[in-house]
Amino acid sequence: DGIVKNANYLSQTIEDFRDFYNPTTLKLDFLIGDCINKCFKIINPQFMNKDIIIKQDIEEFSIYGFEQQLIQVLINLLNNSRDIFEKNNIENRVIFIETKVSKNHLIIIIIDNGGGIEKSNLEKIFEPYFTTKHKSAGTGVSLYMSYQIISENFNGHLTVENSEIKYLNKEYFGAKFKIIIPSNS
């Protein structure tokens, strides 16, 4: 039973990857919860191996756009958190993902407890080829690409700031990325 269950899970994972790498040129309505779940299926094994906990507070809503592109943005943001956990040798690794509807906007917030971003780097973080990683570890295009996808293909905004968060009665400091998409896009 366990082998069959794992085989079915792996088969579904392969289908998800195939859908991810088969870019759709049509804008479609999709649910944010489904989009986040597809993202997690792709990154989950790496995150489990690195002892990263992902806490979710998902308010379901529909987005009209390119789901694969939003999945790529989410993967980029989550992978940056994973990398900073490793770089800063963070023990209790937590990422919070929140989605909500606010007036005429759909909002996705991703906060980690990785120690935040140096103030001097906050203004440059979305510039092409800007990276704080070693040349062998980063190219500096993932956040630039994410910014372009959100602004050009979703008519939205991608912002970053440092933020304090509370988890299990302990205060943490980390990066807070916010995706804001007009609800009528």
Side-chain angles (χ1 to χ4, degrees):
D1 283 346
I3 291 170
V4 170
K5 202 179 276 187
N6 282 331
N8 288 334
Y9 174 77
L10 292 173
S11 178
Q12 183 59 49
T13 300
I14 290 167
E15 288 299 314
D16 292 340
F17 271 107
R18 189 178 316 185
D19 290 344
F20 178 72
Y21 286 109
N22 181 13
T24 305
T25 55
L26 298 173
K27 280 188 167 186
L28 300 170
D29 283 310
F30 60 92
L31 294 175
I32 190 61
D34 291 344
C35 180
I36 290 171
N37 286 334
K38 289 175 184 177
C39 172
F40 287 161
K41 279 187 178 181
I42 294 169
I43 64 163
N44 197 39
Q46 303 170 44
F47 279 55
M48 285 177 55
N49 288 339
K50 305 277 185 190
D51 295 321
I52 298 171
I53 297 168
I54 299 178
K55 295 290 187 183
Q56 300 179 53
D57 182 8
I58 306 299
E59 178 181 341
E60 190 65 82
F61 53 77
S62 180
I63 298 177
Y64 182 70
F66 304 100
E67 184 178 25
Q68 271 72 25
Q69 290 183 3
L70 185 56
I71 290 170
Q72 184 62 57
V73 169
L74 295 174
I75 288 172
N76 290 344
L77 297 176
L78 293 168
N79 281 341
N80 278 346
S81 292
R82 179 202 62 209
D83 293 347
I84 204 69
F85 290 148
E86 291 289 306
K87 179 182 176 187
N88 292 346
N89 202 22
I90 304 294
E91 286 187 28
N92 297 322
R93 302 167 178 191
V94 184
I95 299 172
F96 297 88
I97 298 179
E98 177 185 1
T99 64
K100 60 185 176 180
V101 179
S102 174
K103 295 187 182 178
N104 297 326
H105 295 95
L106 310 172
I107 300 171
I108 305 164
I109 299 169
I110 298 176
I111 307 172
D112 66 40
N113 66 334
I117 300 167
E118 283 187 41
K119 213 172 196 178
S120 61
N121 293 336
L122 279 172
E123 296 171 9
K124 301 182 269 186
I125 200 119
F126 297 118
E127 291 178 8
Y129 309 112
F130 176 78
T131 183
T132 60
K133 299 174 188 173
H134 187 273
K135 295 225 185 275
S136 65
T139 60
V141 295
S142 69
L143 288 178
Y144 170 73
M145 183 181 78
S146 298
Y147 185 86
Q148 295 301 314
I149 288 171
I150 296 302
S151 61
E152 292 178 12
N153 296 345
F154 286 90
N155 299 318
H157 301 286
L158 175 59
T159 63
V160 63
E161 64 184 357
N162 288 321
S163 179
E164 289 186 8
I165 54 173
K166 195 173 193 176
Y167 177 65
L168 297 177
N169 296 320
K170 189 172 178 185
E171 294 288 329
Y172 292 99
F173 188 71
K176 176 181 181 180
F177 286 88
K178 187 185 280 190
I179 300 169
I180 304 165
I181 300 171
S183 56
N184 59 356
S185 60

